Amino acid sequence: EIVMTQSPATLSVSPGERATFSCRASQSVNNYLAWYQQKPGQAPRLLIYGVSTRATGIPARFRGSGSGTDFTLTISSLQSEDFAVYYCQQYNNWPPALTFGGGTTVEIK
Amino acid sequence: EVQLVESGGGLIQPGGSLRLSCAASGFTASSNYMNWVRQAPGKGLEWVSVTFSGDTTHYADSVKGRFTISRDTSKNTLYLQMNSLRVEDTAVYYCARAPLPGILDVWGPGTTVTVSS
């Protein structure tokens, strides 16, 4: 099973600042990497797939990058609605299994 | 509007059974990879199961042999039959659509399953 590790667990950022956080896979996932945003009490929302392709309706301030085993999500200028938990997910060896990272919480500094 | 709505959650004793439903609207579920993903209280996301291409199914090791995914194309509805439930199955269960393998682009609001004596 491919293990996804996210860091940091929590990131404190002021509105308007840039947020950058990481996701590392235990083996190469090629470009089969997605990011999701989840707010309290809500379902996750797809942000990015294929490492860097934004999903429909996702603002350009969200940017994904990386390759192989190391990936990054950058939010260029944090808005109030961006404070949430972010999960990475690989789908390289799927089926049979999708795996998610443990999440990064972006909180207001 | 593309939408998924889960139902069927509740409180159940260990060893019991429960069937979750996920009603799809605005698209044809049978033309997509349909998934269940769960989230234990205060924890991260865990993929549970997928069905696609008619009757092809896959399961996470943690539920294999206990859970069964299925769908009714006439009702455009996905199901998850959960047997031999354990305390560790307590979670919010989401259904999610994947129009392409592994990319979960539409999620339902979730239904809560609590396994406790």
Side-chain angles (χ1 to χ4, degrees):
Chain A
E1 176 185 313
I2 298 177
V3 177
M4 308 300 290
T5 302
Q6 292 186 242
S7 62
T10 304
L11 187 62
S12 298
V13 186
S14 298
E17 290 188 340
R18 172 179 296 199
T20 300
F21 39 96
S22 300
C23 174
R24 174 166 288 179
S26 58
Q27 62 190 76
S28 176
V29 299
N30 297 300
N31 284 343
Y32 298 110
L33 191 283
W35 292 93
Y36 299 83
Q37 176 194 67
Q38 187 179 33
K39 297 179 181 179
Q42 296 184 17
R45 176 175 72 144
L46 176 66
L47 294 177
I48 285 173
Y49 61 94
V51 177
S52 60
T53 302
R54 285 188 302 277
T56 303
I58 302 303
R61 64 180 181 272
F62 291 90
R63 186 173 68 87
S65 61
S67 64
T69 60
D70 292 298
F71 304 91
T72 299
L73 181 65
T74 299
I75 311 171
S76 59
S77 177
L78 271 164
Q79 307 298 302
S80 57
E81 62 266 29
D82 299 336
F83 293 95
V85 181
Y86 293 84
Y87 294 96
C88 63
Q89 172 233 314
Q90 69 81 22
Y91 50 103
N92 181 54
N93 71 334
W94 183 87
L98 294 171
T99 49
F100 292 89
T104 291
T105 300
V106 177
E107 63 177 26
I108 300 175
K109 186 175 182 179
Chain B
E1 181 189 4
V2 172
Q3 195 173 15
L4 294 167
V5 178
E6 305 92 338
S7 60
L11 175 63
I12 188 77
Q13 291 189 335
S17 297
L18 209 56
R19 189 178 82 155
L20 306 182
S21 300
C22 171
S25 57
F27 72 101
T28 302
S30 59
S31 299
N32 292 265
Y33 297 74
M34 296 301 297
N35 299 262
W36 288 98
V37 177
R38 68 184 180 182
Q39 187 170 35
K43 302 297 184 181
L45 301 168
E46 180 189 17
W47 174 81
V48 172
S49 182
V50 64
T51 182
F52 60 98
S53 297
D55 294 328
T56 303
T57 60
H58 292 281
Y59 300 91
D61 287 344
S62 58
V63 307
K64 201 172 293 183
R66 300 188 299 123
F67 290 10
T68 302
I69 191 172
S70 63
R71 54 185 168 188
D72 185 329
T73 55
S74 67
K75 295 181 179 179
N76 210 25
T77 298
L78 179 72
Y79 301 101
L80 186 68
Q81 177 67 43
M82 304 186 296
N83 298 331
S84 303
L85 281 160
R86 305 168 180 169
V87 171
E88 55 266 34
D89 295 319
T90 294
V92 176
Y93 284 73
Y94 298 101
C95 66
R97 179 184 84 166
L100 296 172
I103 302 172
L104 307 175
D105 73 333
V106 177
W107 296 62
T111 188
T112 301
V113 173
T114 303
V115 185
S116 175
S117 55

